[in-house]
């Protein structure tokens, strides 16, 4: 209601556990609405604001989204109000994992599971060649991992849209 009264463009609702690294464990692990329930509450609030003829801010949802199917479902369940889904922790995990793999490659300490793809950045990271062609040779492994993760999400969401005839 506050966002509507002040014509705020976008409001994010986050169903993930609350707090920072300095917060009490209970806050980190237990103080939140489950994301699906929060989405239901937000949807009902938006319906009420719409019925009253109020300004409707765009909505972004966050809270544990990591895979393209859950992103697509959240967009569908929140339509037409939910305009974006935040994938913060999953994106950070992709960047950090790729950074760690990049360090292992640099040290020549490549895990057996990755050696089947190759022994250098360009063969282990599928998107590395494409990114280097576009942006130059000096790209951090974490950036490549983040790009690869978001590219996979993009492809998956487009696939779900096509399967549902939402071009």
């Amino acid at each position: 209601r506050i966002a509507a009264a002040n014509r705020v463009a976008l409001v994010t609702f986050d169903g993930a556990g609350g707090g920072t690294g300095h917060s009490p464990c209970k806050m980190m692990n237990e103080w939140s609405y489950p994301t699906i329930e929060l989405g239901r509450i937000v949807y009902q609030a938006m319906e009420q604001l719409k019925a009253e003829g109020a300004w409707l801010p765009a909505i972004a949802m966050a809270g544990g989204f990591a895979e393209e199917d859950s992103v697509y479902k959240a967009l569908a369940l929140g339509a037409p109000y939910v305009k974006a889904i935040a994938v913060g922790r999953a994106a950070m995990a992709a960047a950090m994992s790729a950074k760690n793999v990049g360090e292992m490659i640099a040290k020549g300490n490549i895990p057996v599971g990755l050696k089947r793809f190759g022994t250098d950045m360009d063969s282990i990271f599928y998107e590395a060649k494409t990114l280097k062609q576009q942006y130059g040779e000096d790209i951090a492994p974490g950036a490549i991992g983040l790009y690869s993760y978001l590219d996979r999400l993009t492809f998956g969401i487009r696939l779900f849209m096509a399967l549902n005839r939402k071009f």
Side-chain angles (χ1 to χ4, degrees):
R1 199 164 284 288
I2 293 168
N6 289 285
R7 300 180 71 84
V8 171
L10 174 71
V11 180
T12 301
F13 291 91
D14 190 348
T20 67
H22 297 288
S23 297
C25 287
K26 286 244 183 232
M27 180 181 282
M28 291 294 293
N29 298 324
E30 299 172 17
W31 291 7
S32 68
Y33 271 98
T35 304
I36 190 75
E37 174 65 7
L38 180 62
R40 185 188 67 78
I41 292 167
V42 170
Y43 184 88
Q44 288 177 336
M46 293 296 286
E47 286 283 294
Q48 184 175 352
L49 289 170
K50 181 181 176 183
E52 295 169 8
W55 164 263
L56 300 177
I59 302 296
M61 292 298 299
F65 297 103
E67 304 280 336
E68 55 271 23
D69 59 337
S70 60
V71 169
Y72 188 77
K73 288 175 195 175
L75 288 169
L77 289 170
Y81 309 115
V82 174
K83 308 292 186 193
I85 303 297
V87 289
R89 290 180 189 168
M92 287 187 282
M96 287 303 298
S97 295
K99 175 185 173 279
N100 292 339
V101 169
E103 290 172 357
M104 289 185 257
I105 292 170
K107 293 176 184 175
N109 186 22
I110 303 165
V112 175
L114 290 179
K115 278 189 181 176
R116 65 187 168 122
F117 300 108
T119 57
D120 63 350
M121 293 284 292
D122 290 350
S123 55
I124 291 177
F125 290 100
Y126 177 78
E127 300 288 352
K129 290 178 189 174
T130 304
L131 290 170
K132 286 180 179 179
Q133 286 174 351
Q134 190 169 356
Y135 297 107
E137 289 293 318
D138 191 27
I139 298 179
I144 297 170
L146 175 62
Y147 178 87
S148 298
Y149 170 71
L150 294 175
D151 188 56
R152 189 196 104 196
L153 276 184
T154 301
F155 177 83
I157 292 167
R158 286 180 177 158
L159 180 63
F160 282 123
M161 290 171 65
L163 289 170
N164 287 279
R165 307 202 49 78
K166 301 293 181 191
F167 301 104

